[in-house]
Every structure is written in C-alpha cells, then in structure tokens.
Amino acid sequence: MAKKKQQQQSAGTPAITALTASGVDFTTHSYAHDPAHPSYGEEAAEALGVSPDQVFKTLVADVDGALTVAVVPVSGSLDLKALAAAVGGKRAAMADPALAERTTGYVRGGISPLGQRKRLRTVLDASASAHTTICVSAGRRGLEVELAPAALTALTHATLAPIARP
C-alpha cells in the first residue's frame, strides 16, 4: 500500500474530516461491503488485499465504568485484562453495542478511532509499530483509511500497549 496525501475527500465522514484538518498523510480505500460477510475486519483485509495483521479493528470496551477504545489487528482478538491493565483499570468487558454507537457516532462495523462524537481514551495494540502504515475504519462499513501508526497514536492520544492476543 502506497502512502500518499489524500487528494480527493469524497467520503465525508467525521474521521476523514478530522484527518484532513490535521494535515496528516493518509489514503482512503473503499470497497463494496457485503452484509453477509461474517467479519467486518476480515472483509476489509480481503477486499484491500492486505494482511489481517495490517488492518486494525476498533472495539469499544467498558473499563471500570469508563468507555475505552481498543484498536487491535483483525488477525487477533482483544485481551480484556491487558486492556484494563494498559489504562490502570481492574476490569474490562465489551461495551453494549448500542452505547458504543451512540457515544462514538458510528455504527458497528464502521466505528473509527478518529472523529468520534465523544473522545474516548484509546489504546492501540503495540503490534501496529511493526508496520509503516495500518488501516482502520474511516467511519463507515466499506471505507478504510490508511495512515502511519504514529499519526494514529498522535491524533487519538492513544496509549501503545500489547492488548491483542493471536
């Protein structure tokens, strides 16, 4: 995947708006979303022709009563204990999907770590650092944004921590 400054902003999602305003280099990738596909993240990796290790899914968890965003590779799953530890918490559980949608302003399968309605504490899995660029949701199903992990970390004020398991 080539890294370049996005020239045409046709997506219009809050994530794309936030990226454009930041001046960060990014590329958008769109594909035809198949509602029958069993995994949003795996569908994105397949459609983009990239490794599931390079495509990251955005999950919303409840850590000790506070919603927290976890960004982990599609190839793995979220380790809730590791997420809690990364933010100094004791217990973590997946957030109610309706609450996650209301809080972020995005629908499930299209939740982006960028441009959320309410900024939530964010933890990016440390494996992202192994890649020049990674892909995350751009704010709707069938739309991904590719950017440097350091840019995502800076824009979301994320903590880097090993929160994924194979």
Side-chain angles (χ1 to χ4, degrees), residues 62-67 91:
D62 179 318
V63 179
D64 297 337
L67 291 182
R91 293 191 54 154

Side-chain angles (χ1 to χ4, degrees), residues 4-6 18-27 147-148 151-152 154-155:
K4 62 181 179 180
K5 183 85 168 194
Q6 181 65 19
L19 282 165
T20 302
S22 76
V24 165
D25 286 344
F26 70 97
T27 304
L147 73 167
L152 180 63
L155 290 171

